[in-house]
Amino acid sequence: MLDKNGIAKRIAKEVKDGYYVNLGIGIPTLVANFVRDDISVEFQSENGVLGMGPFPYEGEEDADIINAGKQTITTMPGASFFDSATSFGMIRGKHVDLTILGAMEVAENGDIANWKIPGKMVKGMGGAMDLVASAENIIVAMMHTNRAGASKLLKRCTLPLTGVGCVKKIVTNLAVLEVTEKGFNLLERAPGVSIEEIQKATEGNLIVQGEIPEMEL
């Protein structure tokens, strides 16, 4: 079973040379820490940063340099800063190659709910709606179940939707899954996790074809 850093490390393998990548709030922000050194990647944050680097070491934080989640970040050589209009022009213009988001729920048809729990205070949807509407390659980083042990990979989302039929791949603490027309196609298992455990934790239709390898991190 993976922890949050393990999920981010596995997703980092999906990042290709030359990609422009948007990192959502939560687990996705950790991905920048695990990208290979031999490839060139530009990480974008919708608050107006292109060229984010890993999180700073303790004592080296600059409170003026933050990501969309208000966490302090570092920047890479050549990084740029700009206003929200420019930032969302990049997103809505489909100039981002890969979007990595967290989620509260994902449905077997690729719907995503990641912005609101009814009855709880929220600041708003933020950039998530634009990201899921514009991106063609969306990977979700999430825990497979909630704190009560209930599945977060569902037949249909129960929370207000952020986007419809947009998620392509999901990496959880238990597995890597691909969203298909027939449901969640199981691609990889987390180290030490059985197919039976994944089946038990998945409410939506889980497709298991052949031998499922363990993740390589």
Side-chain angles (χ1 to χ4, degrees):
M1 186 180 298
L2 303 179
D3 60 10
K4 292 180 179 180
N5 282 298
I7 294 172
K9 191 173 183 179
R10 173 59 187 83
I11 291 177
K13 296 180 68 175
E14 303 288 327
V15 178
K16 308 301 182 187
D17 187 39
Y19 265 18
Y20 289 89
V21 181
N22 180 281
L23 300 178
I25 296 169
I27 298 172
T29 60
L30 301 171
V31 172
N33 296 336
F34 299 106
V35 173
R36 287 167 28 207
D37 293 331
D38 62 336
I39 64 174
S40 176
V41 179
E42 296 286 348
F43 288 106
Q44 192 252 16
S45 183
E46 61 261 34
N47 61 314
V49 185
L50 184 64
M52 288 193 299
F55 283 121
Y57 291 110
E58 187 174 351
E60 297 181 5
E61 303 93 340
D62 184 339
D64 290 325
I65 304 178
I66 61 173
N67 61 19
K70 300 181 178 61
Q71 298 168 303
T72 54
I73 56 172
T74 61
T75 54
M76 304 300 288
S80 58
F81 303 92
F82 35 83
D83 60 19
S84 289
T86 302
S87 180
F88 281 92
M90 295 176 181
I91 294 167
R92 294 168 184 169
K94 301 184 184 245
H95 302 294
V96 176
D97 298 297
L98 173 63
T99 295
I100 303 170
L101 296 170
M104 299 169 189
E105 295 177 346
V106 176
E108 62 184 37
N109 67 341
D111 293 353
I112 180 173
N114 78 342
W115 76 282
K116 181 179 181 179
I117 297 176
K120 293 194 175 183
M121 176 79 74
V122 293
K123 295 180 180 178
M125 189 175 283
M129 180 175 62
D130 294 272
L131 288 163
V132 300
S134 304
E136 295 181 357
N137 189 6
I138 297 174
I139 297 177
V140 169
M142 65 189 295
M143 294 298 172
H144 211 102
T145 59
N146 61 25
R147 292 177 183 176
S151 179
K152 295 167 69 173
L153 275 66
L154 310 174
K155 292 185 180 300
R156 291 289 179 267
C157 291
T158 62
L159 296 172
L161 294 182
T162 311
V164 176
C166 55
V167 176
K168 297 294 188 290
K169 187 175 286 186
I170 307 157
V171 180
T172 76
N173 54 322
L174 302 183
V176 178
L177 308 104
E178 178 185 28
V179 176
T180 72
E181 292 180 354
K182 296 182 179 179
F184 300 113
N185 184 31
L186 181 60
L187 300 178
E188 300 173 19
R189 299 175 289 116
V193 175
S194 68
I195 293 174
E196 290 73 23
E197 288 177 276
I198 298 167
Q199 288 173 323
K200 185 177 179 181
T202 308
E203 183 205 276
N205 185 41
L206 183 68
I207 302 165
V208 181
Q209 296 178 314
E211 187 174 345
I212 306 300
E214 281 196 354
M215 295 182 204
E216 294 182 8
L217 300 176

